[in-house]
Amino acid sequence: MTRTTAGVSPRPGGPPAAGSGGSASGSGGSGFWVVGAVLVLLMLSSSVPSALYVLYQERWDLSSGMVTVVFAVYAVTVLLGLLLFGSLSDTLGRRPVLGAGLVLAIASMGLFAGAQGPGLLLAARAVQGLAVGLATGAVGAALLELSPRSRPALGAQVNSAGPTVGIGLGGIGAGLLVQYAPAPTVLSYLLLVAAFAVALVGVARMRESAPLGPGGRSWRIVPHRIGVPAAVRGRFAVLVLTIIAVWTVGGFYLSLGPHLALALLRSTNYLVGGATVALLAGAATAAQLLLGRTAPLRTAVLGLGGLLAGLALVLLALQTSSAAVFLAGTAVLGSGWGAAFLGAFRALSALAEPAHRGELTAAVYVFAYLAMSVPAVLAGLLTNIHGLHRTSVGFMAAVAGVCVLALSATLRLAARTRAEGSTP
């Protein structure tokens, strides 16, 4: 998740991610699939706590505000890891950075398994965020470099689909364990420790793919510069509205979504919460695969339309207490979420020249992760005062307003782009 190239798709499993460019240096064999598995595992592990939040609330009497703070800690530490260490694999190599990220991931799973209160839960989320932030840049780059010769686009496809596949599997898997397995707040994480350990062995055995240059390996840490070229700031401001809308929805669903699902479906089955996260992520993946070759601005417009339709259905479900409408709204919302992010991120990545693309992408990271965390915390605090139902209605209505602004501005940008005969 370091420098984004035009050929790399973003991931809705966590805000933008990309490799460091470069072409495949030849078939990576099993190494490619090892890296793909690492990506899915990282995103899977990030969604497991979301399915467990309801259980944590019941056992430890946590407020909704505390739940969203725990979630926000993850988003903020991923951002810090990306901005501080996102380029480290360019100088040290992909394998060492992937290995370090997996070791941190194992440590975070241990903290989760041993958590008996919110203190260790916060620490676990922070370590997990750093692990994901550290490893994701190396993952994105290695997937591009190790793509099979016969399928050179496969790296970008896995970069795009892997995160939402992981989030969906994490939601379903954790929901099943919570409902049907003993000690789910321990067993879920011990299973992930074993999976990460296997992945670590695979990373140790794969070949290095990074072109390290004449200087060889170096622990030189070069934090991302953050900047938007003056010539594209107007278009950046338009497109970043979509990023904000997308990740405000994502943050809400990944923190309070399972609790809302249980309330609306009048269910005590914890699988319902995890299935809701999986439904959102699955619909996002399907939309991205379906619209992968559509022009970026058109994709963003279609996605914003989907977001508005999904928000309208969720608001209707909240007013009528209809479980069926809520599930339909979540699916529509997920498809809009995936498409809007895909289109906006591809359009944003094309704004800057390659030499400045990393700086612009870092700026997108900041907006995306802040949108993912700050509104979710605010929603959690308001839930303590006004209750989940009223807060959700106000939250969805506010996000719908942002979507309307983003859609209007994007349509004007698309019309101006067509008139100028430029891309995207």
Side-chain angles (χ1 to χ4, degrees):
M1 217 146 80
T2 53
R3 301 176 198 133
T4 305
T5 64
V8 181
S9 299
R11 54 195 63 187
S20 61
S23 59
S25 56
S27 176
S30 62
F32 176 84
W33 299 110
V34 168
V35 177
V38 169
L39 172 59
V40 171
L41 276 175
L42 287 172
M43 296 299 105
L44 187 157
S45 69
S46 74
S47 69
V48 165
S50 294
L52 297 175
Y53 284 148
V54 176
L55 194 57
Y56 289 136
Q57 280 187 284
E58 292 176 356
R59 289 187 176 180
W60 302 336
D61 195 27
L62 300 182
S63 67
S64 295
M66 176 55 71
V67 167
T68 53
V69 167
V70 172
F71 173 77
V73 164
Y74 167 76
V76 170
T77 50
V78 171
L79 176 61
L80 289 175
L82 283 168
L83 295 181
L84 290 176
F85 307 115
S87 299
L88 185 59
S89 72
D90 292 338
T91 57
L92 186 64
R94 314 301 181 210
R95 290 172 63 242
V97 173
L98 285 173
L102 287 170
V103 169
L104 281 176
I106 290 171
S108 71
M109 296 302 103
L111 290 171
F112 275 121
Q116 298 296 320
L120 272 185
L121 200 59
L122 286 165
R125 261 315 208 180
V127 175
Q128 184 183 41
L130 287 175
V132 173
L134 174 63
T136 307
V139 166
L143 284 172
L144 293 181
E145 293 157 353
L146 296 172
S147 292
R149 287 194 186 96
S150 59
R151 301 178 66 187
L154 189 60
Q157 291 169 352
V158 174
N159 257 314
S160 176
T164 43
V165 169
I167 287 177
L169 290 175
I172 286 289
L176 285 169
L177 291 174
V178 169
Q179 186 62 36
Y180 301 113
T185 58
V186 176
L187 181 60
S188 301
Y189 301 114
L190 293 183
L191 290 173
L192 283 168
V193 166
F196 279 126
V198 172
L200 187 59
V201 172
V203 167
R205 294 172 61 88
M206 63 181 270
R207 71 173 177 84
E208 179 57 62
S209 63
L212 298 176
R217 288 180 172 82
S218 169
W219 279 96
R220 182 169 57 93
I221 296 174
V222 183
H224 269 307
R225 291 180 61 188
I226 302 173
V228 180
V232 299
R233 285 175 186 167
R235 281 176 286 172
F236 180 89
V238 169
L239 292 166
V240 86
L241 274 175
T242 299
I243 298 293
I244 291 170
V246 165
W247 285 106
T248 300
V249 170
F252 182 87
Y253 257 80
L254 290 172
S255 56
L256 296 177
H259 195 106
L260 181 62
L262 287 170
L264 275 176
L265 275 63
R266 301 181 187 87
S267 175
T268 57
N269 189 318
Y270 293 107
L271 179 58
V272 167
T276 301
V277 173
L279 178 60
L280 185 81
T285 301
Q288 286 203 328
L289 293 175
L290 182 64
L291 298 172
R293 298 189 179 186
T294 305
L297 290 180
R298 182 177 299 175
T299 303
V301 167
L302 290 172
L304 286 166
L307 277 175
L308 282 169
L311 288 167
L313 286 171
V314 172
L315 282 168
L316 178 62
L318 288 168
Q319 293 302 316
T320 61
S321 298
S322 169
V325 174
F326 175 72
L327 292 174
T330 298
V332 174
L333 196 61
S335 63
W337 182 50
F341 185 53
L342 174 67
F345 192 79
R346 285 175 58 201
L348 281 164
S349 69
L351 289 180
E353 296 298 323
H356 300 285
R357 193 170 288 144
E359 299 171 22
L360 185 140
T361 303
V364 177
Y365 292 155
V366 172
F367 280 101
Y369 278 100
L370 288 177
M372 190 179 182
S373 55
V374 174
V377 172
L378 181 61
L381 295 174
L382 290 174
T383 297
N384 295 336
I385 301 170
H386 300 293
L388 181 61
H389 184 276
R390 288 182 64 189
T391 299
S392 298
V393 170
F395 188 90
M396 296 297 174
V399 176
V402 176
C403 287
V404 169
L405 289 175
L407 180 58
S408 175
T410 304
L411 285 170
R412 289 197 299 270
L413 176 61
R416 188 166 69 247
T417 300
R418 286 194 301 270
E420 294 170 353
S422 56
T423 57

